[in-house]
Structures are given as C-alpha cells and as structure tokens.
C-alpha cells in the first residue's frame, strides 16, 4: 500500500463536487483523511472562489493506475478533456505526494504546489505535519514554518463546513 496525498479544488457547484471527491476517493483506497475545506480566491485568474482541501489515503494502485483513475473521475464529473490551467473547475485533483516517489515528468512529485500555495500547504500541514517530503529533507511542518507566511498565511483562506450527503 502507498500513502498518497491529493490536492482537491472546485469552484463550480462547490458543495456537490467537494462531496463527490470525498465519496469517490473512498473507493480508490482506505484510511481516508480529509483536511479542513477552505474557501479562497481563484489563483492566477478571475474566477469564482474555490473550495480547496487535501485528502490522504492508502492505495494499492500503481502511480499510473492511480493517476488514470483520478483523471477519469475528473472527466466523469464535468471537467473538459482539454481543460487549460487557470480556469474554472468542477473537480481538479492533483497528486501532491505518492509514497516516496520523486519524478520530474508528469505527474511531478512532490508537486511544486506544496511550496507555492497556502491552500495546499495549510491542509497538508493539518494532515501530516511530521511527514518527510521525498527528496526535500524537510517535513511538512518545517516547510509550513519556513514558507507559510510568505505564501499568504491564512490571509485568503476561510474554513468552511461542508454539509455531508450520500446523493453523489
């Protein structure tokens, strides 16, 4: 089993798609952890506010199988196949960490978003502060302590409560 951490984002029908992510990802693994869900502005473009959060889970899938399943999930819930960066999303699922894997090609691991965006680093810190980031030599907590304020701190993050539903 491999422990994976996923960054989840949605700014179209946010409640529905956040719930879909949680429900559907339970089917791809076990020992699911869900961080606080944060509402925050779109990063890099003018769009509706996003819900962003991190899910940790154990999976017995290979990285390529896992990535393919995540892509299929995004497409099944309305993401255009030719979606571009920096645009509105029904469901965006990024692999942040996949065990000890280090890769430069897609999916890049560890994902650079960990170091750039407070809406990724804060929820990741909540779930696994002591985790040593592969190839980095620092834990999530050390990265959080060293970089969190410089990438915005909590300034644009608002914790929200998601009404849970089994309708998806």
């Amino acid at each position: 089993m491999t422990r994976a951490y996923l960054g989840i984002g949605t700014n179209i029908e946010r409640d529905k798609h956040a719930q879909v992510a949680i429900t559907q990802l339970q089917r791809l693994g076990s020992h699911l952890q869900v961080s606080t869900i944060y509402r925050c502005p779109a990063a890099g473009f003018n769009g509706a506010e996003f819900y962003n959060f991190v899910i940790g889970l154990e999976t017995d899938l290979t990285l390529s199988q896992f990535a393919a399943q995540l892509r299929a999930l995004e497409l099944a819930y309305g993401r255009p196949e030719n979606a571009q960066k920096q645009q509105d999303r029904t469901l965006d699922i990024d692999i942040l960490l996949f065990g000890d894997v280090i890769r430069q090609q897609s999916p890049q691991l560890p994902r650079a978003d960990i170091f750039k965006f407070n809406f990724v680093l804060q929820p990741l810190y909540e779930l696994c502060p002591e985790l040593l980031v592969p190839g980095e030599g620092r834990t999530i907590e050390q990265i959080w302590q060293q970089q969190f304020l410089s990438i915005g701190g909590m300034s644009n993050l608002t914790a929200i409560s998601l009404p849970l539903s089994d309708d998806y």
Side-chain angles (χ1 to χ4, degrees):
M1 295 290 266
T2 301
R3 187 82 187 155
Y5 291 92
L6 308 171
I8 314 295
T10 174
N11 74 338
I12 298 173
E13 295 183 82
R14 298 176 305 188
D15 288 352
K16 172 186 174 182
H17 290 109
Q19 182 63 49
V20 159
I22 295 166
T23 302
Q24 294 298 318
L25 289 171
Q26 289 174 10
R27 298 177 181 161
L28 293 183
S30 59
H31 301 97
L32 201 78
Q33 293 175 284
V34 181
S35 74
T36 302
I37 298 172
Y38 292 98
R39 186 181 69 232
C40 59
F45 70 101
N46 290 325
E49 286 186 317
F50 273 79
Y51 282 179
N52 289 102
F53 58 105
V54 169
I55 289 180
L57 58 83
E58 300 276 335
T59 184
D60 59 2
L61 297 173
T62 66
L63 177 57
S64 61
Q65 292 169 331
F66 193 59
Q69 290 288 324
L70 298 176
R71 177 76 171 149
L73 182 58
E74 290 175 330
L75 295 174
Y77 285 93
R79 180 175 177 155
E81 195 158 342
N82 61 349
Q84 304 298 308
K85 288 191 175 287
Q86 298 183 334
Q87 71 180 56
D88 294 324
R89 297 272 193 251
T90 53
L91 190 56
D92 186 33
I93 306 172
D94 296 321
I95 303 171
L96 304 174
L97 298 164
F98 191 81
D100 292 332
V101 175
I102 300 171
R103 289 171 51 113
Q104 295 305 312
Q105 70 272 29
S106 183
Q108 177 203 22
L109 296 168
R111 190 169 175 92
D113 292 358
I114 294 169
F115 309 96
K116 292 195 256 182
F117 299 113
N118 60 350
F119 58 81
V120 173
L121 185 55
Q122 175 62 33
L124 192 58
Y125 170 71
E126 292 172 13
L127 296 185
C128 57
E130 300 303 317
L131 181 68
L132 188 63
V133 177
E136 174 62 29
R138 295 183 289 171
T139 65
I140 295 295
E141 181 174 25
Q142 289 169 324
I143 295 167
W144 186 87
Q145 288 174 343
Q146 294 166 0
Q147 292 184 236
F148 190 62
L149 290 179
S150 69
I151 58 174
M154 294 294 287
S155 64
N156 65 348
L157 301 179
T158 304
I160 64 110
S161 207
L162 182 67
L164 299 178
S165 168
D166 292 325
D167 295 340
Y168 313 109

